Amino acid sequence: MTNPRTWLTLAALLLLAAPASAAAPPVKITSARVGLPPGGKATERDENGQGVHIAKFACWAPVYVDLDVAVTITEQAELVIEAADPDEIATTLTVPLNLAGAPIGKLSAVEVGCIGYVRPAGVGEVMLTIRTKDGKPLSEPFRVRSLRPRDPLTYVVLSLGGAIPGFDLPKPAGAPEQSTELRGGRVELATLTDVAQLPDRWVGYESADLVILNTSIGSDEFLRKLFGESGGAAEKAKRAALLEWVRRGGRLVVSVGGNSALVSQLPALRDLLPFEIKGTRTPNAVGLSWPTRATGKTSSMRGDLGHKGLPFPVANLVAKADRPARVLIPMPDPTTPIKDIIAGQGPYGLGKVTAIGFDLDRAPFTEFSSRPEFWDWVLYEGGANRASGSDSKTRPNSGSLTEEEDEAAIALRTHTDTFDGVPVVSFGWVAMLIVLYILLIGPVEYYFLKRVLGRLELTWITFPVIVLTVSLAAYFSAYSLKGRDLKINKIDVVDIDPATGRVYGTTWFTVFSPRIDTYTIGVTPGEGWGDTEPGTAISWVGAPRGGRASLLRRKYSYHTDAEAVADGLEKVPVQVWGTKSFGANWSGRFDPAAPTAIAKSDLFHPPGDPDKAIGSFVLNLAAPVLSDCVLFYAGQAYPVPGGTIRPGETVRPVWDKLQPASQWLQKEGGLEDLLRRAPNYSEGVGRGRGNVQQPTAAFGMLPPWGVLFHEGTLTYGDNVIPRNASLRRLDQSWRLSPDHRSEVILVGRVVTPSGTPAEESLSGPGAASRLWLRELPGSGPRTPIPGTGRQETWVRVYLPIK
């Protein structure tokens, strides 16, 4: 017979649980998608049969959320996104979610101006929740379990305003005609058809290697919302995000044909283009000729664009007087003046914008017999040449992520993670010490107590003594080997654009912690390197992992505010004698008209000779001297005599010892030296796995040319492939074209003595970036950094020619 007290207890529990089970959460997350929407025939599908959105490893990706609102929300809410980093530590990022007054029922978060962001570290899950500003939960956790980011080598082409009809690329010999994969699956298409879907932060485009904006008739509403002056704050934020992505190294192709009148009426779009649009003409056919993919030999293709003799619109592209640009089609011929420009290209900050004077999503181009070959030209001329090519390897089709074709990034990561004076204890030594420890607390102790003392009961004393002694010995041995000082290795690549007064910085750094500690991290321009601008993005650096947070539930959070997402990291845990690597993209601004501007250019073309550049330039860098200086102009390299430039010094290039830039880079660029720092890299660029090189501290200073001009350092030998998959944004090899004569590029190194105190080398006078480790920038006085630091800084200056 059951005890009555048992029944009473069960009844009380049911009464207590009833309100909780009956009260449904105010908001339910019904679905979520991570990445850019697929634009072609999706190669992967989720459990609902929908095309899987495209995200790439270690690239920020937008998060789109669908909701079901059950009650009227009166409080300010926020979307919380949690994902693991490569060390399996949970990261948290929050973005505002304006649900106050939102209608009851189903809605998409983009309808209330909310797009989240996450940086995938591997195959795993992302957890989403909605809460109030004070932390009160408004929804149950929602898990995205199907997240499978692409490998870094994947080349993503994103179209804005609509899908690209008939997109195709030449198929390699032996490939089946019915195959829908592009370049063996390494090229993928994505599309954003609604302005509301567009990222409102520039980092949301990180997964895209090339963005194509079609402006054909039918896209009027999209163009007016994105580039029109009548748009609201949300539309302006999305436009600013796209433009900032291009300025920071993005590649954009704009096709202008039948809708050129509207394009001319939108100032923001008109200013973006490298050419003026002066109406349209309507030929029955246009003869096209374009160079084939660079293979070390000069060749071209030709084709007549037209359809049954019917006229079609072609925009009249006219060069801008204040913004020189390259003409791509027709192919430049010194003996023939250019009449009708079909396609051209110009820089926009660090990025490039390619304009094509006909619609790529309309006839007659969609019926063009050489359409795959022309799209191939668009990819390599508008984007990254070698990375998008058919001569590269097929994308790995394994269940886990790889870092194929990304050895330059691996080498850079390994270099910052190698600390002078901190030996790495091999696994063999660790295994041997473990075996000795087991022998000591087992057979050795037993023999000593049994045979020598004859009293086994003394193990209650000897065992803890042995454990304590060995632990203390290991602790003090580690201190003697690893040291007691905080150590930081940092690399800065700084791009200076005097024409616009912008400084763009990319920083990688690794922290070696002598104790268990947490760090709050920020990066700002150093003193004299420009005033801080919004848009800084800071995150982890690491190899692909499982993407699942560890059971220890360590976590840290990204700092977000109205002007930036992930512009700082708060309370990042680092274990004793452990390392943690980070990367940051930041920018600064200076007045280019000021007498002491960071860089001033008085270079110009002599009258009647646009092929030459004469004049002078002056640098006013905060660094005491710029060493190892090299100038690049019109496809030629010119090492500066003496190799150094000092602040305030007037430099007049003589151009007397020129050599082809590609030849100089392949000889002096040290690409092999750079790649040998990557574990598992085989000796010889382009060779298969074989003679593995192991990184050591003896490698010395990092050779930067394989990062700054990666494709320029590559030869055209068999099986030579690019190895900078996640660093394509920094590769400015396209500016080394012989017909790129609008600027001179100066590259040099800031010398920082090794072994100097961390505060002086990493954040003191002359440091391009300033590192914060204890508080976020703007939150209060900055705490000086203790310990020692190693700093390497490379500067690239784009000197305009008048």
Side-chain angles (χ1 to χ4, degrees):
M1 184 174 180
T2 306
N3 191 326
R5 293 184 178 180
T6 303
W7 288 107
L8 291 173
T9 303
L10 290 174
L13 290 174
L14 289 173
L15 288 173
L16 290 173
S21 61
V27 182
K28 180 181 180 181
I29 301 176
T30 58
S31 66
R33 298 159 302 285
V34 176
L36 301 169
K41 295 182 179 179
T43 57
E44 297 183 38
R45 296 189 177 274
D46 59 20
E47 59 274 9
N48 299 320
Q50 302 296 318
V52 174
H53 283 217
I54 299 172
K56 290 172 70 172
F57 164 73
C59 290
W60 287 101
V63 179
Y64 302 100
V65 179
D66 295 325
L67 310 173
D68 189 354
V69 181
V71 299
T72 301
I73 306 296
T74 59
E75 301 176 83
Q76 291 295 321
E78 56 188 13
L79 175 65
V80 183
I81 305 167
E82 185 174 307
D85 75 358
D87 296 320
E88 299 180 345
I89 303 175
T91 67
T92 301
L93 184 145
T94 62
V95 291
L97 177 60
N98 185 19
L99 290 179
I104 295 176
K106 299 182 182 298
L107 63 86
S108 173
V110 297
E111 297 177 34
V112 291
C114 176
I115 296 178
Y117 298 94
V118 70
R119 196 160 182 260
V123 178
E125 69 177 32
V126 175
M127 188 173 72
L128 309 172
T129 54
I130 298 173
R131 69 187 185 192
T132 62
K133 289 288 187 179
D134 57 3
K136 175 185 174 183
L138 294 176
S139 76
E140 295 180 350
F142 182 92
R143 287 177 168 82
V144 180
R145 303 183 187 276
S146 59
L147 178 60
R148 295 184 177 275
R150 307 306 198 264
D151 303 286
L153 64 83
T154 305
Y155 197 88
V156 177
V157 179
L158 170 65
S159 64
L160 301 182
I164 305 175
F167 184 94
D168 200 3
L169 296 172
K171 292 181 172 57
E177 285 296 324
Q178 64 274 19
S179 174
T180 59
E181 287 191 334
L182 301 170
R183 301 275 196 253
R186 63 175 293 119
V187 175
E188 294 199 40
L189 302 181
T191 186
L192 291 169
T193 58
D194 189 349
V195 172
Q197 293 179 304
L198 268 61
D200 55 1
R201 311 297 175 113
W202 72 268
V203 294
Y205 290 96
E206 265 200 331
S207 295
D209 294 282
L210 178 66
V211 172
I212 297 177
L213 174 65
N214 289 312
T215 65
S216 57
I217 295 175
S219 61
D220 297 37
E221 182 181 1
F222 183 91
L223 294 175
R224 291 184 189 278
K225 282 186 177 180
L226 183 58
F227 294 102
E229 295 301 317
S230 60
E235 288 75 17
K236 291 179 180 178
K238 295 174 185 298
R239 179 174 70 215
L242 174 62
L243 299 183
E244 186 64 14
W245 172 77
V246 179
R247 291 190 191 99
R248 291 179 184 250
R251 285 85 190 270
L252 175 68
V253 173
V254 184
S255 69
V256 184
N259 221 4
S260 60
L262 175 61
V263 172
S264 299
Q265 296 170 10
L266 300 173
L269 180 54
R270 189 175 64 237
D271 294 343
L272 176 65
L273 295 174
F275 294 90
E276 292 284 358
I277 309 296
K278 298 292 186 180
T280 59
R281 60 187 187 277
T282 54
N284 296 328
V286 172
L288 298 179
S289 62
W290 63 93
T292 57
R293 183 175 293 276
T295 59
K297 298 180 180 180
T298 302
S299 59
S300 61
M301 286 201 66
R302 298 179 182 275
D304 291 328
L305 180 65
H307 178 62
K308 299 179 181 180
L310 299 176
F312 65 95
V314 177
N316 293 317
L317 304 181
V318 179
K320 291 182 177 181
D322 59 344
R323 188 176 167 191
R326 299 169 53 207
V327 176
L328 303 176
I329 301 177
M331 297 171 59
D333 184 353
T335 64
T336 305
I338 298 175
K339 292 183 179 180
D340 298 324
I341 301 174
I342 303 297
Q345 184 181 92
Y348 191 81
L350 303 186
K352 61 178 174 179
V353 178
T354 305
I356 299 177
F358 55 85
D359 294 321
L360 296 174
D361 59 345
R362 293 287 188 274
F365 180 74
T366 54
E367 301 169 1
F368 187 36
S369 59
S370 298
R371 187 180 67 256
E373 289 76 15
F374 192 85
W375 272 122
D376 187 38
W377 175 82
V378 171
L379 259 63
Y380 78 73
E381 191 64 66
N385 189 323
R386 306 284 286 272
S388 62
S390 58
D391 55 343
S392 297
K393 297 187 294 185
T394 299
R395 189 185 77 181
N397 190 23
S398 60
S400 59
L401 287 172
T402 71
E403 291 186 285
E404 293 284 343
E405 300 187 21
D406 205 20
E407 286 86 350
I410 300 171
L412 195 153
R413 185 176 72 222
T414 303
H415 183 70
T416 61
D417 199 33
T418 302
F419 290 86
D420 298 331
V422 180
V424 178
V425 181
S426 67
F427 176 76
W429 278 103
V430 174
M432 185 182 69
L433 292 174
I434 291 175
V435 170
L436 291 176
Y437 177 63
I438 293 173
L439 291 174
L440 181 62
I441 63 175
V444 173
E445 183 196 24
Y446 176 82
Y447 181 85
F448 179 75
L449 296 178
K450 178 73 173 179
R451 301 297 184 184
V452 178
L453 299 181
R455 299 181 63 182
L456 289 177
E457 65 273 13
L458 292 178
T459 189
W460 292 100
I461 299 175
T462 57
F463 182 79
V465 169
I466 293 173
V467 172
L468 182 61
T469 302
V470 171
S471 299
L472 290 175
Y475 179 80
F476 287 109
S477 298
Y479 254 125
S480 64
L481 289 173
K482 303 285 188 178
R484 300 170 180 265
D485 294 331
L486 176 73
K487 298 178 184 290
I488 301 173
N489 292 336
K490 182 158 74 78
I491 297 176
D492 285 317
V493 170
V494 184
D495 291 287
I496 302 174
D497 184 9
T500 60
R502 291 287 300 270
V503 177
Y504 305 93
T506 304
T507 299
W508 300 269
F509 59 98
T510 299
V511 175
F512 171 83
S513 181
R515 62 187 63 84
I516 298 176
D517 208 343
T518 60
Y519 299 88
T520 295
I521 294 172
V523 177
T524 56
E527 184 177 355
W529 294 84
D531 299 326
T532 304
E533 286 231 306
T536 297
I538 304 176
S539 190
W540 47 261
V541 170
R545 297 291 176 87
R548 183 182 295 272
S550 67
L551 297 177
L552 298 177
R553 300 303 296 166
R554 297 177 296 160
K555 65 169 54 180
Y556 58 93
S557 61
Y558 291 97
H559 176 263
T560 59
D561 55 28
E563 294 184 329
V565 62
D567 62 347
L569 301 174
E570 299 182 88
K571 300 186 182 304
V572 182
V574 182
Q575 297 302 304
V576 60
W577 303 311
T579 62
K580 186 77 174 175
S581 298
F582 306 92
N585 289 307
W586 50 271
S587 69
R589 185 175 291 277
F590 65 94
D591 182 4
T596 58
I598 294 177
K600 296 182 72 68
S601 173
D602 288 318
L603 297 170
F604 60 93
H605 297 296
D609 193 353
D611 295 339
K612 294 183 179 180
I614 60 177
S616 63
F617 64 88
V618 177
L619 300 184
N620 291 300
L621 300 179
V625 64
L626 199 63
S627 301
D628 303 329
C629 294
V630 181
L631 295 174
F632 296 92
Y633 171 65
Q636 301 289 312
Y638 173 67
V640 174
T644 61
I645 298 176
R646 298 184 182 278
E649 176 184 355
T650 300
V651 181
R652 301 181 184 276
V654 181
W655 311 114
D656 57 343
K657 295 181 179 180
L658 294 172
Q659 56 181 305
S662 59
Q663 178 181 320
W664 186 91
L665 287 169
Q666 290 163 17
K667 180 181 178 181
E668 306 291 342
L671 179 61
E672 194 69 35
D673 186 17
L674 169 69
L675 299 180
R676 281 191 296 115
R677 299 162 193 260
N680 301 325
Y681 170 71
S682 56
E683 189 91 28
V685 177
R687 300 180 187 174
R689 299 293 182 190
N691 185 17
V692 174
Q693 301 292 314
Q694 295 300 329
T696 67
F699 275 125
M701 185 183 66
L702 186 83
W705 304 102
V707 175
L708 304 180
F709 301 102
H710 183 79
E711 292 192 354
T713 63
L714 299 176
T715 64
Y716 287 98
D718 294 337
N719 300 321
V720 175
I721 59 177
R723 298 177 182 271
N724 68 331
S726 65
L727 301 175
R728 293 169 187 157
R729 178 184 65 84
L730 291 172
D731 186 3
Q732 297 290 322
S733 299
W734 64 274
R735 295 181 187 253
L736 303 181
S737 170
D739 57 348
H740 186 75
R741 301 186 179 94
S742 62
E743 62 188 2
V744 171
I745 303 175
L746 165 67
V747 181
R749 177 172 66 95
V750 176
V751 179
T752 304
S754 60
T756 56
E759 179 65 17
E760 179 182 344
S761 61
L762 305 179
S763 300
S769 67
R770 177 167 292 176
L771 188 59
W772 302 61
L773 284 186
R774 292 300 177 189
E775 54 275 313
L776 294 172
S779 63
R782 177 178 166 277
T783 303
I785 301 175
T788 60
R790 186 183 74 200
Q791 173 73 53
E792 297 176 36
T793 304
W794 286 89
V795 179
R796 221 169 11 185
V797 187
Y798 306 88
L799 300 163
I801 301 175
K802 301 175 183 177

Short mmCIF file of all heavy atoms in Angstrom, two decimals, residues 632 635-637 658-670 711-716 736:
data_model
loop_
_atom_site.label_atom_id
_atom_site.label_comp_id
_atom_site.label_asym_id
_atom_site.label_seq_id
_atom_site.Cartn_x
_atom_site.Cartn_y
_atom_site.Cartn_z
N PHE A 632 56.88 50.37 -56.15
CA PHE A 632 56.31 49.64 -57.27
C PHE A 632 55.51 50.62 -58.12
O PHE A 632 54.67 51.38 -57.59
CB PHE A 632 55.40 48.51 -56.77
CG PHE A 632 56.10 47.44 -56.00
CD1 PHE A 632 56.20 47.51 -54.61
CD2 PHE A 632 56.67 46.35 -56.64
CE1 PHE A 632 56.84 46.53 -53.89
CE2 PHE A 632 57.33 45.36 -55.93
CZ PHE A 632 57.41 45.45 -54.55
N GLY A 635 53.97 47.98 -62.85
CA GLY A 635 54.50 46.63 -62.99
C GLY A 635 55.99 46.50 -62.80
O GLY A 635 56.57 45.45 -63.09
N GLN A 636 56.64 47.56 -62.30
CA GLN A 636 58.07 47.54 -62.09
C GLN A 636 58.39 47.74 -60.61
O GLN A 636 57.65 48.40 -59.88
CB GLN A 636 58.76 48.66 -62.90
CG GLN A 636 58.52 48.59 -64.39
CD GLN A 636 59.26 47.44 -65.04
OE1 GLN A 636 60.45 47.23 -64.80
NE2 GLN A 636 58.57 46.68 -65.88
N ALA A 637 59.51 47.15 -60.18
CA ALA A 637 59.97 47.28 -58.79
C ALA A 637 61.23 48.12 -58.76
O ALA A 637 62.11 47.99 -59.63
CB ALA A 637 60.24 45.90 -58.19
N LEU A 658 65.17 49.67 -62.52
CA LEU A 658 63.88 48.98 -62.50
C LEU A 658 64.02 47.53 -62.94
O LEU A 658 64.89 47.19 -63.74
CB LEU A 658 62.89 49.70 -63.42
CG LEU A 658 62.47 51.12 -63.03
CD1 LEU A 658 61.66 51.75 -64.13
CD2 LEU A 658 61.67 51.10 -61.74
N GLN A 659 63.15 46.70 -62.41
CA GLN A 659 63.01 45.33 -62.87
C GLN A 659 61.57 44.92 -62.71
O GLN A 659 60.84 45.46 -61.86
CB GLN A 659 63.94 44.39 -62.12
CG GLN A 659 63.79 44.41 -60.61
CD GLN A 659 64.78 43.47 -59.94
OE1 GLN A 659 64.83 42.29 -60.25
NE2 GLN A 659 65.57 44.02 -59.02
N PRO A 660 61.07 44.00 -63.53
CA PRO A 660 59.67 43.59 -63.42
C PRO A 660 59.31 43.19 -62.01
O PRO A 660 60.05 42.47 -61.34
CB PRO A 660 59.57 42.40 -64.40
CG PRO A 660 60.66 42.66 -65.40
CD PRO A 660 61.77 43.31 -64.63
N ALA A 661 58.15 43.68 -61.56
CA ALA A 661 57.76 43.44 -60.16
C ALA A 661 57.63 41.96 -59.87
O ALA A 661 58.07 41.49 -58.81
CB ALA A 661 56.43 44.16 -59.88
N SER A 662 57.01 41.19 -60.77
CA SER A 662 56.86 39.76 -60.52
C SER A 662 58.21 39.07 -60.43
O SER A 662 58.42 38.19 -59.59
CB SER A 662 56.00 39.13 -61.61
OG SER A 662 56.59 39.33 -62.88
N GLN A 663 59.15 39.49 -61.27
CA GLN A 663 60.49 38.90 -61.23
C GLN A 663 61.17 39.22 -59.91
O GLN A 663 61.80 38.35 -59.29
CB GLN A 663 61.30 39.43 -62.41
CG GLN A 663 62.73 38.93 -62.45
CD GLN A 663 63.49 39.52 -63.64
OE1 GLN A 663 62.95 39.66 -64.73
NE2 GLN A 663 64.75 39.89 -63.42
N TRP A 664 61.05 40.48 -59.45
CA TRP A 664 61.68 40.86 -58.19
C TRP A 664 61.05 40.11 -57.02
O TRP A 664 61.74 39.63 -56.12
CB TRP A 664 61.54 42.36 -57.97
CG TRP A 664 62.28 42.87 -56.77
CD1 TRP A 664 63.55 43.33 -56.72
CD2 TRP A 664 61.78 42.93 -55.42
NE1 TRP A 664 63.90 43.68 -55.44
CE2 TRP A 664 62.83 43.45 -54.62
CE3 TRP A 664 60.57 42.61 -54.83
CZ2 TRP A 664 62.68 43.64 -53.25
CZ3 TRP A 664 60.43 42.80 -53.46
CH2 TRP A 664 61.47 43.32 -52.69
N LEU A 665 59.70 39.99 -57.02
CA LEU A 665 59.02 39.33 -55.92
C LEU A 665 59.35 37.84 -55.87
O LEU A 665 59.53 37.26 -54.80
CB LEU A 665 57.50 39.51 -56.06
CG LEU A 665 56.97 40.91 -55.75
CD1 LEU A 665 55.52 41.04 -56.19
CD2 LEU A 665 57.10 41.22 -54.27
N GLN A 666 59.44 37.21 -57.03
CA GLN A 666 59.76 35.78 -57.05
C GLN A 666 61.19 35.52 -56.60
O GLN A 666 61.48 34.47 -56.02
CB GLN A 666 59.52 35.22 -58.45
CG GLN A 666 58.06 35.17 -58.84
CD GLN A 666 57.84 35.02 -60.33
OE1 GLN A 666 58.76 34.65 -61.07
NE2 GLN A 666 56.62 35.30 -60.78
N LYS A 667 62.06 36.50 -56.81
CA LYS A 667 63.46 36.33 -56.41
C LYS A 667 63.70 36.76 -54.98
O LYS A 667 64.41 36.08 -54.22
CB LYS A 667 64.36 37.13 -57.36
CG LYS A 667 65.84 37.03 -57.03
CD LYS A 667 66.67 37.87 -58.00
CE LYS A 667 68.15 37.81 -57.65
NZ LYS A 667 68.97 38.65 -58.57
N GLU A 668 63.12 37.91 -54.58
CA GLU A 668 63.42 38.49 -53.28
C GLU A 668 62.28 38.33 -52.26
O GLU A 668 62.46 38.68 -51.09
CB GLU A 668 63.72 39.99 -53.43
CG GLU A 668 64.81 40.33 -54.43
CD GLU A 668 66.17 39.89 -53.97
OE1 GLU A 668 66.33 39.63 -52.76
OE2 GLU A 668 67.09 39.80 -54.82
N GLY A 669 61.13 37.84 -52.70
CA GLY A 669 59.95 37.82 -51.83
C GLY A 669 59.99 36.81 -50.70
O GLY A 669 59.21 36.92 -49.75
N GLY A 670 60.84 35.81 -50.78
CA GLY A 670 60.96 34.85 -49.69
C GLY A 670 59.71 34.03 -49.44
O GLY A 670 59.40 33.69 -48.30
N GLU A 711 50.07 36.60 -55.04
CA GLU A 711 50.04 36.07 -56.41
C GLU A 711 51.22 36.58 -57.23
O GLU A 711 51.67 35.92 -58.16
CB GLU A 711 48.72 36.43 -57.08
CG GLU A 711 47.54 35.69 -56.46
CD GLU A 711 46.27 35.79 -57.28
OE1 GLU A 711 46.27 36.53 -58.29
OE2 GLU A 711 45.28 35.13 -56.93
N GLY A 712 51.74 37.75 -56.88
CA GLY A 712 52.92 38.25 -57.56
C GLY A 712 54.16 37.43 -57.28
O GLY A 712 55.11 37.44 -58.07
N THR A 713 54.20 36.71 -56.16
CA THR A 713 55.37 35.90 -55.83
C THR A 713 55.31 34.51 -56.45
O THR A 713 56.29 33.76 -56.38
CB THR A 713 55.50 35.74 -54.30
OG1 THR A 713 54.36 35.03 -53.80
CG2 THR A 713 55.59 37.09 -53.61
N LEU A 714 54.18 34.15 -57.05
CA LEU A 714 54.01 32.81 -57.62
C LEU A 714 54.53 32.75 -59.04
O LEU A 714 54.37 33.68 -59.83
CB LEU A 714 52.53 32.40 -57.61
CG LEU A 714 51.83 32.31 -56.26
CD1 LEU A 714 50.36 31.99 -56.45
CD2 LEU A 714 52.48 31.27 -55.38
N THR A 715 55.15 31.63 -59.38
CA THR A 715 55.54 31.38 -60.75
C THR A 715 54.40 30.67 -61.47
O THR A 715 53.34 30.39 -60.88
CB THR A 715 56.80 30.50 -60.79
OG1 THR A 715 56.49 29.22 -60.24
CG2 THR A 715 57.93 31.14 -59.99
N TYR A 716 54.59 30.36 -62.75
CA TYR A 716 53.57 29.66 -63.52
C TYR A 716 54.00 28.24 -63.83
O TYR A 716 53.67 27.69 -64.87
CB TYR A 716 53.28 30.43 -64.81
CG TYR A 716 52.49 31.69 -64.56
CD1 TYR A 716 53.13 32.92 -64.48
CD2 TYR A 716 51.12 31.65 -64.38
CE1 TYR A 716 52.43 34.08 -64.23
CE2 TYR A 716 50.40 32.81 -64.13
CZ TYR A 716 51.06 34.02 -64.06
OH TYR A 716 50.35 35.16 -63.81
N LEU A 736 49.87 45.65 -59.52
CA LEU A 736 51.18 45.58 -60.15
C LEU A 736 51.08 45.42 -61.66
O LEU A 736 52.08 45.13 -62.32
CB LEU A 736 52.00 44.43 -59.56
CG LEU A 736 52.19 44.47 -58.03
CD1 LEU A 736 53.03 43.29 -57.58
CD2 LEU A 736 52.84 45.78 -57.60
#
